[in-house]
Amino acid sequence: HVEQGTIPYSSTCQVAIKALVGGEFLFPLNTELVSGVYAISVSETFLKPIKLSVQHCVVLKHKQQAEYLSFAKSPLTPAHTFETIEGGQFPTDDRYGFIMCDSFSLLAILKRWFFSGEQIA
């Protein structure tokens, strides 16, 4: 979702979103990929963040389950080392996560593994 005033009125902006089918992706320890990996680039700097939605494959029936999901990003460089990032929303009964972005790179959704002793709803 791009709000009015995100780019200067007199500008034209090209946005490229490419789903990556394969690659050497390194994710944080104890996480697994639960979405596609998307390379996102823009031709102009945005004046405000935009809201991105990314589909994932996790069935969320309880709000507490969303605590195990997070967005992750990696620079657009050959070494695709992902780091989790703050923010994002993962509504229950929805297969999409939402996050406000003001910089662009590789983006994905990760699920943190939980271990015995932890409780998940």
Side-chain angles (χ1 to χ4, degrees):
H1 178 78
V2 180
E3 293 182 17
Q4 186 173 354
T6 300
I7 58 173
Y9 182 73
S10 61
S11 294
T12 300
C13 180
Q14 294 181 356
V15 178
I17 301 173
K18 183 178 182 181
L20 302 180
V21 176
E24 301 218 9
F25 305 126
L26 299 172
F27 299 110
L29 188 63
N30 300 326
T31 64
E32 65 181 312
L33 181 66
V34 294
S35 73
V37 173
Y38 301 95
I40 304 169
S41 60
V42 295
S43 63
E44 298 286 330
T45 302
F46 288 166
L47 302 175
K48 301 189 224 182
I50 63 168
K51 183 177 184 179
L52 296 176
S53 62
V54 176
Q55 188 175 21
H56 60 78
C57 65
V58 178
V59 177
L60 297 173
K61 294 292 182 188
H62 305 284
K63 188 176 181 178
Q64 295 84 357
Q65 292 172 307
E67 295 174 15
Y68 288 88
L69 298 181
S70 61
F71 280 91
K73 69 177 184 176
S74 173
L76 292 170
T77 60
H80 302 306
T81 302
F82 283 79
E83 294 182 359
T84 57
I85 53 178
E86 294 293 319
Q89 299 172 337
F90 300 96
T92 56
D93 293 323
D94 196 347
R95 294 275 179 108
Y96 286 85
F98 305 94
I99 191 163
M100 300 299 290
C101 289
D102 58 3
S103 63
F104 301 94
S105 56
L106 296 182
L107 186 68
I109 297 175
L110 303 179
K111 178 180 150 187
R112 183 174 63 86
W113 299 342
F114 62 96
F115 300 95
S116 63
E118 287 188 272
Q119 293 185 2
I120 185 166

